[in-house]
Amino acid sequence: LGAKVDWDAKTKTVTITASTIPPKITFKPKAEYTMQVNVGPAFDWGKGAQKWADLVRERTNGLINIKPYFGSALLQGKQTNWFQAVSEGSIDFVMDSTINASGVVQSLNLFSLPFFINTYENVDKIENGTAGKMIIEQMEKMGVVHLAWGENGFRELTNSKRPIRTPNDMKGLKFRVVGSPIFIDIFKALGADAVSMNWGDAVTAFQQGAVDGQENPYGVLIPVQIWQYHKYLTNWNYVIDPLILGVSKQTWDKFPTYIQKAIKDSALEAAEWEKAMVRRGLDGFTSINILKNKFGETPQLLDMVGYVRSKGMQIIDLTPEERQAFINATQSVYDKWISIIGKDIYNAALKDIGK
Ligand code: X2X
């Protein structure tokens, strides 16, 4: 291009002078770029966010300083507001749950269709397939650039009252769910009471016994020590909760290409690590081997299910027949939500997973 790059170390300013269009770009980074994260720094998800920020700092020689704000601190705990804040540019970066954005980006409810995406293989096929691409395009049109898929995980059911093997076992129990409407519909279809709460309030509600149960992945259940409140855990893999590593389009468009590349590469690497962490021991040896061979790490805790059991929880695994009863009970959710998600995206997802 015949571009000339000048670097002023004092003001941390890069000036690119090109003989072609654009003729001149001056880039001066902000002192701090903010990042939204719903959970705390002790969660694998939180560690993934910190890793992303650290990699970016390293790969840009300290030029880009991203600070994760844990516990939705920038949103006063209102986790379902992140998409709007990032799209408006009042928050720069995000590593957060698709569920927390699905009230705004309707197609993200695809991941919350009950008992639809039931294996890690299918998660990856959809994220990297046509459906994933359509969702990513939709988000970008709405002002959020998607850089990588992380993972909260398959959400499992816990409660303090009794083992749950059938929808009937859920009758009369009150469950905390995230404030995303599809969850109210799912729990109603299963005959249970559902109440929406932000995560910060939810932990207080568990402590006070204000709800009988909740649903979250192992990567959340362990740091929150759910066994202190709930004795029963049903492994039902009813929905997957991917994380979006993304950036406000307003912030993104101001970065020169080489900065964009450093940020994107870092996002992909942090996401791969974080995904392997939350899947470890739940997908055979696949994720344990990724951590060992690619990242040179062997986490102390490799058997998350065994660990939770060792804390006194009763773990319930469903037979295929028991699982089918849950699928049958939630058909009304499909009838209502496929059109909200978009029939084209749902059909693309079916194709992606060969259903
Ligand atoms: O609020 C939850 O349950 C959590 C932590 O899993 C999410 O952010 C979706």
Side-chain angles (χ1 to χ4, degrees):
L1 286 173
K4 196 168 137 304
V5 180
D6 292 306
W7 163 240
D8 182 345
K10 230 192 229 155
T11 59
K12 288 189 175 177
T13 306
V14 179
T15 306
I16 301 168
T17 317
S19 55
T20 53
I21 296 168
K24 195 170 180 196
I25 306 164
T26 301
F27 170 66
K28 187 168 180 351
K30 293 199 275 187
E32 178 190 293
Y33 290 88
T34 54
M35 188 199 290
Q36 148 67 14
V37 187
N38 190 36
V39 295
F43 293 62
D44 292 326
W45 162 1
K47 290 177 193 165
Q50 189 60 58
K51 191 179 189 72
W52 181 19
D54 291 346
L55 286 170
V56 169
R57 191 172 301 107
E58 203 177 291
R59 287 184 182 156
T60 60
N61 289 318
L63 192 65
I64 304 297
N65 169 39
I66 303 174
K67 181 170 171 190
Y69 283 81
F70 296 104
S72 291
L74 297 170
L75 301 169
Q76 287 77 44
K78 294 190 187 114
Q79 64 199 63
T80 53
N81 288 354
W82 79 251
F83 194 92
Q84 186 162 359
V86 176
S87 75
E88 287 168 359
S90 59
I91 295 177
D92 297 301
F93 288 88
V94 59
M95 178 156 172
D96 212 279
S97 162
T98 42
I99 292 174
N100 293 335
S102 63
V104 185
V105 187
Q106 297 294 358
S107 59
L108 289 173
N109 287 292
L110 177 73
F111 298 108
S112 304
L113 274 179
F115 308 99
F116 178 54
I117 306 173
N118 52 337
T119 63
Y120 288 118
E121 200 188 339
N122 286 342
V123 177
D124 294 340
K125 281 182 179 162
I126 287 179
E127 286 178 355
N128 303 316
T130 311
K133 208 164 147 197
M134 290 164 88
I135 293 171
I136 288 169
E137 278 167 11
Q138 211 172 73
M139 288 193 286
E140 186 152 344
K141 273 199 200 119
M142 295 171 78
V144 176
V145 177
H146 175 282
L147 300 173
W149 294 108
E151 199 155 284
N152 192 6
F154 278 109
R155 299 178 72 90
E156 315 297 8
L157 192 65
T158 70
N159 86 96
S160 60
K161 296 289 192 248
R162 52 180 175 257
I164 291 171
R165 293 193 167 278
T166 69
N168 204 41
D169 295 330
M170 294 174 69
K171 289 228 157 68
L173 298 188
K174 194 171 177 180
F175 291 89
R176 175 269 171 174
V177 294
V178 186
S180 173
I182 193 170
F183 289 92
I184 300 284
D185 288 346
I186 296 171
F187 278 73
K188 258 199 199 140
L190 292 170
D193 269 348
V195 47
S196 308
M197 270 179 222
N198 290 323
W199 177 240
D201 300 328
V203 177
T204 312
F206 307 155
Q207 282 163 355
Q208 296 177 344
V211 292
D212 302 308
Q214 64 86 50
E215 40 76 68
N216 252 298
Y218 278 92
V220 169
L221 300 180
I222 291 175
V224 81
Q225 305 193 330
I226 200 72
W227 49 85
Q228 289 194 42
Y229 322 112
H230 299 161
K231 171 137 177 65
Y232 307 100
L233 189 162
T234 301
N235 282 324
W236 65 345
N237 279 24
Y238 85 126
V239 301
I240 183 69
D241 183 7
L243 301 178
I244 292 161
L245 285 79
V247 54
S248 177
K249 189 152 170 38
Q250 303 190 30
T251 305
W252 185 246
D253 287 346
K254 293 190 185 104
F255 291 135
T257 317
Y258 76 98
I259 297 280
Q260 288 183 344
K261 184 175 180 334
I263 291 170
K264 167 99 182 172
D265 290 349
S266 302
L268 289 168
E269 186 174 332
E272 188 183 8
W273 177 85
E274 188 271 345
K275 236 184 191 189
M277 284 298 283
V278 297
R279 288 184 183 188
R280 73 191 192 278
L282 301 174
D283 63 354
F285 285 96
T286 307
S287 288
I288 290 172
N289 284 334
I290 290 172
L291 291 170
K292 190 168 155 213
N293 299 331
K294 179 139 192 194
F295 295 97
E297 282 179 43
T298 304
Q300 240 183 341
L301 174 55
L302 292 178
D303 177 10
M304 293 196 281
V305 179
Y307 182 72
V308 167
R309 190 182 282 117
S310 79
K311 294 293 180 184
M313 286 189 91
Q314 186 180 327
I315 312 271
I316 294 104
D317 288 306
L318 301 179
T319 64
E321 294 74 33
E322 286 169 338
R323 205 180 140 80
Q324 191 58 47
F326 283 98
I327 297 173
N328 295 345
T330 47
Q331 277 319 294
S332 59
V333 178
Y334 281 70
D335 299 340
K336 174 173 169 187
W337 281 88
I338 287 172
S339 65
I340 300 175
I341 291 163
K343 237 194 159 86
D344 50 341
I345 290 180
Y346 175 70
N347 287 334
L350 284 176
K351 255 195 168 163
D352 286 337
I353 60 180
K355 268 196 189 173

